[in-house]
Amino acid sequence: QSALTQPPSVSGSPGQSVTISCTGTSSDVGSYNRVSWYQQPPGTAPKLMIYEVSNRPSGVPDRFSGSKSGNTASLTISGLQAEDEADYYCSSYTSSSTYVFGGGTKLTVL
Amino acid sequence: QVQLQESGPGLVKPSGTLSLTCAVSGGSISSSNWWSWVRQPPGKGLEWIGEIYHSGSTNYNPSLKSRVTISVDKSKNQFSLKLSSVTAADTAVYYCARIVVSYDAFDIWGQGTMVTVSS
């Protein structure tokens, strides 16, 4: 199974919005709403930010939102804050009953 | 509140077997969740290794399947990872994580443990 495709980096200024894409195939992202997003600041474990494409766990700010169209899922962070600077990973369940992660995107808050 | 803690040797020799354990506290490993291992080579992205249910059912990453064994010990409330025939490419931070069945997401993670493959 191939990793989902994410842009290596994105950036934005405080208060702006950024969107991170995650492209898979009809065997993963395109077939299931089991797409999740994780935030990983340097030296820490990943943290679940979005599940089932667009749902936020308790405690995650509503500045974080998710969507999906076809084989591509997206994470949007609005009202950027300095604390949002981290690596972000998408993940999807697959038709082989496995999971696949994206390559990761480094978010820089300018 | 469920917490996960990885443990095991930080250094493994090439061609040897990497063995790690994940202790589950604050909850039962027999709950309706899957338990998973994920790794992250230095400076690289996350890679799913495999998962286990308390019944012993497993699923593995096809690229690692021939070398991976994940097992569960309900009496100790823990699960384990064995990765055989390791090379330098297996050097990584290894995380254990809980998968919530209802939405197939990794909601709780251990802090991770660094394993280096070197002679």
Side-chain angles (χ1 to χ4, degrees), chain B residues 82-101:
Chain B
K82 289 190 186 297
L83 181 65
S84 63
S85 305
V86 296
T87 69
D90 295 310
T91 294
V93 175
Y94 285 76
Y95 295 100
C96 57
R98 186 179 79 170
I99 300 174
V100 179
V101 171

Side-chain angles (χ1 to χ4, degrees), chain B residues 6 19 27 38 41 43 47 76 84 87 91 104 110 116:
Chain B
E6 306 90 348
S19 297
V38 176
E47 180 180 32
K76 295 183 178 179
S84 63
T87 69
T91 294
D104 287 312
T116 301

Side-chain angles (χ1 to χ4, degrees), chain A residues 65-106:
Chain A
S65 63
S67 63
K68 190 187 86 166
S69 177
N71 294 340
T72 298
S74 298
L75 172 70
T76 297
I77 309 170
S78 57
L80 266 180
Q81 299 181 2
E83 66 201 50
D84 299 333
E85 188 160 291
D87 292 329
Y88 290 83
Y89 294 90
C90 60
S91 175
S92 175
Y93 183 72
T94 82
S95 60
S96 300
S97 300
T98 62
Y99 293 86
V100 61
F101 284 97
T105 298
K106 181 178 179 60

Side-chain angles (χ1 to χ4, degrees), chain A residues 12 16 20 25 32 47 59 82 108:
Chain A
Q16 289 186 330
I20 300 171
T25 69
Y32 302 94
K47 173 187 176 184
T108 301

